[in-house]
Amino acid sequence: MKMEEFMEEGIKLSQDDEQRRRSKKRSDLVSKKLGELLLQGYKMLNSTCEKCECILMQKKNEPYYCVGCQDSEIRSFDNEINLTLISKENQIVSENFNNLPSNFQKKVENKVNHQIAQNENETVNIIKDKINWATQELKNSNILRYDLELLDYIKKCSETISAMNNCIN
């Protein structure tokens, strides 16, 4: 085995260990949140979230609650992990990009800038769709706690769109 292959294999194993640690930490956090909800009077349902496969919870006369998708601490944890992974990938891409010939770098930059603009517009549209969904939920809800969560969600979505528009302009 060549030294480069040995190093690559070591890096891969290290990344796998890191992924397992992150997964375990998230699982522990979800379990903790599920326990807290049980103590607050929620019941554990015999179904899971279609998006993240977390066990659904429900308090009497309230909508289903998915800890994996709706809990702010879990979402923050997921966002933190995603930002870390993106940062690592960006570093690798940047290192490789700098080794390309300059004329090829320009072509890649132009294509990337065009793709970024398309992705930003698509992201803004997705966030607007989420605001519309939350607004509809708010119209149909009569549960104060859920209403407050929806309002906070709408506010955060709006702030995200504003921040993106400031970055684009």
Side-chain angles (χ1 to χ4, degrees), residues 75-86:
R75 286 194 321 248
S76 293
F77 178 83
D78 290 344
N79 290 339
E80 190 178 305
I81 295 302
N82 289 337
L83 287 174
T84 301
L85 294 174
I86 289 169

Side-chain angles (χ1 to χ4, degrees), residues 1-136:
M1 180 181 272
K2 294 180 183 176
M3 183 60 152
E4 288 177 2
E5 291 173 352
F6 180 75
M7 294 295 289
E8 286 178 20
E9 189 65 29
I11 290 171
K12 185 178 179 199
L13 289 174
S14 174
Q15 290 171 340
D16 289 345
D17 287 344
E18 188 176 329
Q19 175 65 28
R20 276 192 289 278
R21 278 193 301 276
R22 282 194 303 265
S23 180
K24 170 94 170 81
K25 186 174 180 181
R26 185 182 192 281
S27 177
D28 290 348
L29 189 56
V30 168
S31 295
K32 177 184 166 208
K33 293 293 181 175
L34 290 172
E36 289 172 1
L37 290 175
L38 287 169
L39 292 173
Q40 294 173 18
Y42 282 77
K43 65 180 178 180
M44 195 175 282
L45 303 176
N46 190 22
S47 57
T48 58
C49 174
E50 291 177 9
K51 183 177 178 185
C52 74
E53 298 182 4
C54 186
I55 296 171
L56 292 174
M57 304 292 283
Q58 185 179 32
K59 201 168 192 175
K60 190 174 184 177
N61 298 327
E62 289 190 18
Y64 295 163
Y65 184 77
C66 174
V67 171
C69 294
Q70 294 174 282
D71 185 82
S72 59
E73 192 173 344
I74 302 292
R75 286 194 321 248
S76 293
F77 178 83
D78 290 344
N79 290 339
E80 190 178 305
I81 295 302
N82 289 337
L83 287 174
T84 301
L85 294 174
I86 289 169
S87 176
K88 287 179 181 178
E89 286 181 18
N90 284 344
Q91 183 179 1
I92 292 167
V93 168
S94 179
E95 289 168 2
N96 290 325
F97 180 77
N98 292 332
N99 294 330
L100 296 173
S102 62
N103 63 334
F104 192 71
Q105 284 180 2
K106 294 256 189 256
K107 288 180 184 179
V108 170
E109 284 175 349
N110 290 338
K111 189 167 185 163
V112 167
N113 288 337
H114 177 70
Q115 187 65 43
I116 288 172
Q118 284 181 323
N119 289 346
E120 287 171 344
N121 288 332
E122 184 179 342
T123 301
V124 168
N125 288 334
I126 290 169
I127 295 171
K128 286 180 180 178
D129 288 344
K130 291 186 178 291
I131 290 172
N132 290 335
W133 167 83
T135 302
Q136 283 305 116

